[in-house]
Amino acid sequence: MRNQAICFCPSGPPTIPPRFTCPKMIRRYNDFNAYLRNRFGCRVQKITVDAGFTCPNRDGTLSGTGCLFCNGKGSGSGAARLGRSIEEQIRSAKPRLAKRYKAKKFIAYFQSFTNTHAPVEVLKPRYNQALRDPEVVGLAIGTRPDCVDREKLELIGSFTATHMVWIEYGLQSASDRTLRRINRGHTVQDFVQAVRLTQGRHILICAHVILGLPGETTADIVRTARLLADLRVEAVKIHNLYVEKDAPLAEPYRSGQFTLPSRDRYADWVSCFLEHLHPETIIQRLTGDPDPESLVGPSWSLEKSKTLTKIHRCLEDRQTYQGRRYPSRYLLENFREGVESTSS
Ligand code: SF4
């Protein structure tokens, strides 16, 4: 028999809802792959693209240091530096992904650095190059919330007539104190404004969040989930904080200035986060993907499937699921706010 998971959530353990009692219901959250399969009728896989952009938090526009967790590669493959065109990156990845995942269609994922950090005249041909392949059915653009404007969003929105289009905004935390601490160079309000500016253009929004940032508590994590639930972003990507050797956090971590959560603690945080999200939000990922060669810690972040199993068991043991704490708390709080605003 498994050990019962410890509940770190301030509001205590919930009860199982009737809609999750079906024995066929394996996952207790909206899984991205299932969503894509429903939409396209086959396995759809992302192909990561390095389009040669930089980042304003690295190139001196905002700072030269970068976010404290960033390893300097900006989650990139370095393919652009090696002179590999966008088309070539897509062409060479397709057979590998088709073999490994039986994928039949693909999403071009502009992942490296900040993929809207250029004028529209530069952005347009790069996005177009990725969409020339008829098996590429979607475009996903990773960027910072302070790097979009109407003109760029109009360009990105223009692809929605023919493709599934995602924009992925790095938020990391809904606490400005945390964002300052990790040198993000933008505020929570920047994120809210970017989401508002994007909505209504048929562009799907994914928010990127890191759990376990230095100084963050369960209350911070709940606040982040609640903000995303309120904003009704279409998807989230969650991963644990891990430290790589070239990241500015490496030294403070080695010298014991902060600690990283255990796998158990992370699984509990993810469960808590999912409970407070909107029930319809799509979960694009629940774990990180560090480079084994440069990982400083925690070592468990290399064992992706063990971490996913732990999260699934944690949800099961707590008999909980995505959105479990969404409706009543929110309605109650909206009601309270209404009472306060009308009585003042
Ligand atoms: S915004 Fe992204 S690429 Fe830029 S410093 Fe932060 S993590 Fe690195």
Side-chain angles (χ1 to χ4, degrees):
M1 197 172 138
R2 284 194 306 276
N3 289 335
Q4 198 71 10
I6 303 160
C7 178
F8 293 104
C9 183
S11 34
T15 53
I16 193 164
R19 69 193 170 95
F20 283 96
T21 51
C22 168
K24 286 188 180 162
M25 180 65 78
I26 303 164
R27 298 249 165 95
R28 288 165 182 263
Y29 54 88
N30 291 321
D31 176 55
F32 188 46
N33 283 330
Y35 167 80
L36 289 174
R37 194 175 278 281
N38 271 342
R39 173 89 186 256
F40 293 102
C42 63
R43 175 82 184 209
V44 180
Q45 203 62 37
K46 278 186 184 172
I47 295 176
T48 56
V49 169
D50 182 338
F53 294 112
T54 62
C55 166
N57 208 18
R58 287 209 156 267
D59 68 7
T61 310
L62 291 169
S63 89
T65 317
C67 306
L68 299 194
F69 57 83
C70 182
N71 64 6
K73 293 181 200 153
S75 305
S77 59
R81 258 201 329 271
L82 297 172
R84 298 181 60 212
S85 72
I86 292 167
E87 281 144 320
E88 192 189 335
Q89 291 175 53
I90 290 173
R91 205 170 39 244
S92 65
K94 280 198 325 181
R96 183 170 40 83
L97 297 172
K99 190 174 172 200
R100 184 164 175 195
Y101 300 105
K102 299 190 170 52
K104 293 198 166 71
K105 292 181 174 150
F106 303 92
I107 293 173
Y109 177 28
F110 285 67
Q111 183 182 26
S112 306
F113 295 99
T114 303
N115 293 281
T116 56
H117 185 40
V120 287
E121 302 74 45
V122 175
L123 298 176
K124 190 174 180 180
R126 297 199 197 179
Y127 300 151
N128 272 329
Q129 277 177 51
L131 298 179
R132 261 180 220 139
D133 188 313
E135 287 177 332
V136 171
V137 293
L139 176 67
I141 298 167
T143 190
R144 294 169 54 89
D146 56 354
C147 272
V148 288
D149 55 32
R150 278 178 211 284
E151 201 187 2
K152 289 175 187 176
L153 290 171
E154 260 161 38
L155 168 69
I156 294 167
S158 70
F159 299 109
T160 61
T162 49
H163 292 80
M164 173 186 266
V165 178
W166 289 91
I167 193 159
E168 185 180 315
Y169 290 126
L171 169 64
Q172 320 312 351
S173 165
S175 157
D176 277 326
R177 196 185 43 193
T178 302
L179 298 186
R180 276 194 301 275
R181 195 181 290 138
I182 61 171
N183 193 41
R184 274 297 287 177
H186 68 74
T187 62
V188 178
Q189 192 53 31
D190 289 329
F191 174 81
V192 173
Q193 275 169 5
V195 168
R196 294 284 185 232
L197 201 59
T198 308
Q199 285 171 329
R201 298 176 190 271
H202 306 290
I203 302 168
L204 301 164
I205 301 171
C206 177
H208 190 283
V209 167
I210 299 178
L211 304 189
L213 289 165
E216 289 242 299
T217 62
T218 306
D220 292 310
I221 286 162
V222 169
R223 191 186 307 115
T224 303
R226 290 171 61 180
L227 175 75
L228 299 177
D230 269 354
L231 287 171
R232 292 300 309 272
V233 297
E234 278 80 13
V236 297
K237 266 186 179 176
I238 310 163
H239 77 71
N240 62 299
L241 177 66
Y242 55 80
V243 177
E244 291 183 299
K245 64 183 178 202
D246 294 326
L249 276 182
E251 191 39 47
Y253 174 65
R254 282 200 189 97
S255 61
Q257 289 177 45
F258 72 98
T259 55
L260 292 166
S262 65
R263 184 173 5 228
D264 283 5
R265 181 78 189 203
Y266 177 67
D268 196 79
W269 274 342
V270 171
S271 306
C272 186
F273 187 92
L274 292 175
E275 283 179 334
H276 287 85
L277 269 188
H278 190 279
E280 287 166 11
T281 306
I282 298 154
I283 310 302
Q284 289 208 6
R285 72 183 304 170
L286 289 175
T287 60
D289 220 354
D291 172 7
E293 299 295 311
S294 58
L295 184 71
V296 178
S299 54
W300 60 262
S301 43
L302 293 175
E303 300 166 331
K304 202 169 160 179
S305 62
K306 272 193 191 169
T307 304
L308 281 175
T309 303
K310 186 77 210 171
I311 293 166
H312 296 164
R313 283 185 180 164
C314 186
L315 289 166
E316 228 175 279
D317 289 344
R318 291 170 62 168
Q319 296 288 285
T320 195
Y321 56 94
Q322 180 186 340
R324 166 66 181 79
R325 296 181 193 280
Y326 171 73
S328 54
R329 287 190 59 152
Y330 279 64
L331 289 176
L332 186 65
E333 284 180 12
N334 289 340
F335 173 72
R336 277 202 198 116
E337 276 169 24
V339 169
E340 278 168 16
S341 59
T342 50
S343 61
S344 58

